[in-house]
Amino acid sequence: PYLFWLCVGIICYSVLGLWGLFKVLRKFRISYFAIYITILGLAIGTNLCFYSYRDVPYAHVFSFCVVSWMFYALLLWIDENRLKHLLFFAFLFGLSMIIRPTNGMFLLLVPFLFPDTRTFWERIKELFHPKITRFIVTIVVFLIPISIQVYSSYQQFGKVQFNGYSNEGFSNISDPYFWSTLFGFRKGIFVYAPFLLLIIPGFI
């Protein structure tokens, strides 16, 4: 029964992640037809399908779900500038970090989602002025899921540990295997998920 409901749960997270992605794409005013093709293609034409029914329960599906909704929360905050959206983003960002610490690189994308540089810096300044309370509350909410992870690892191993992937890192950062990542027969993304080749005309 445990394994059965684990499989059911992972499918639910996949669907929830695709719903979050739908809402993200609608924020960019992309047509419904393009969105449906995108979601259908991702659901059955990429590794998301494989990790949803075969390799259960790897972290990939959970990460996809959380990042989709985190992306949506960020767009809501950019558009409406409401504290609840910022806190929702902060919590999901913390949650994404304990799923996979490399999700922290998502922050590099944030400035490019604002309409212009001036708006971005004004929004950052608002976190600190006139009071720093807004920033502190955001950090506390961000740390809630991380603190659960740290406490859990301490209870299990007797030491404070955040990164469950401690034996993995960016050993190839100076030689990132760019071509192999895209077209290599070992794990090339376009070899195993040729549907994603539509990204190229999509950019155009």
Side-chain angles (χ1 to χ4, degrees):
Y2 176 78
L3 293 176
F4 170 77
W5 287 109
L6 202 59
C7 293
V8 172
I10 206 80
I11 292 173
C12 291
Y13 276 103
S14 295
V15 173
L16 188 61
L18 291 169
W19 181 31
L21 180 62
F22 172 86
K23 296 179 80 66
V24 167
L25 296 177
R26 281 305 298 160
K27 291 292 287 184
F28 287 109
R29 295 181 176 84
I30 296 174
S31 69
Y32 281 104
F33 176 76
I35 291 176
Y36 293 148
I37 293 296
T38 299
I39 289 178
L40 183 64
L42 288 176
I44 65 176
T46 68
N47 288 351
L48 180 63
C49 178
F50 180 76
Y51 285 115
S52 297
Y53 85 93
R54 185 70 175 87
D55 267 12
V56 180
Y58 278 78
H60 303 72
V61 174
F62 303 112
S63 184
F64 166 71
C65 177
V66 171
V67 169
S68 293
W69 284 98
M70 179 178 72
F71 201 162
Y72 180 62
L74 177 63
L75 293 176
L76 286 176
W77 177 59
I78 291 173
D79 288 346
E80 303 177 20
N81 194 17
R82 301 177 69 177
L83 180 60
K84 68 176 184 178
H85 296 146
L86 176 62
L87 297 182
F88 187 38
F89 167 74
F91 180 83
L92 291 177
F93 183 60
L95 192 57
S96 73
M97 289 281 288
I98 68 172
I99 295 173
R100 278 180 174 261
T102 50
N103 285 335
M105 292 189 294
F106 182 86
L107 282 184
L108 299 175
L109 180 67
V110 172
F112 300 99
L113 297 174
F114 282 82
D116 52 63
T117 307
R118 180 182 177 182
T119 306
F120 169 71
W121 286 114
E122 286 179 352
R123 194 65 60 83
I124 296 299
K125 290 177 183 177
E126 287 179 10
L127 292 176
F128 300 92
H129 298 290
K131 294 181 179 181
I132 201 172
T133 309
R134 192 179 178 101
F135 177 74
I136 294 175
V137 171
T138 303
I139 294 298
V140 169
V141 171
F142 164 73
L143 290 175
I144 289 174
I146 292 180
S147 63
I148 295 173
Q149 168 76 2
V150 171
Y151 178 74
S152 175
S153 63
Y154 179 77
Q155 288 292 312
Q156 294 178 67
F157 306 111
K159 61 180 180 179
V160 175
Q161 182 180 353
F162 164 68
N163 185 8
Y165 295 89
S166 55
N167 294 327
E168 301 179 21
F170 290 100
S171 57
N172 297 322
I173 195 166
S174 60
D175 185 17
Y177 293 93
F178 183 77
W179 184 259
S180 298
T181 301
L182 297 179
F183 297 102
F185 279 93
R186 185 176 180 185
K187 291 185 178 180
I189 189 171
F190 291 139
V191 173
Y192 288 91
F195 169 80
L196 294 177
L197 284 167
L198 289 176
I199 291 172
I200 298 172
F203 275 129
I204 298 172

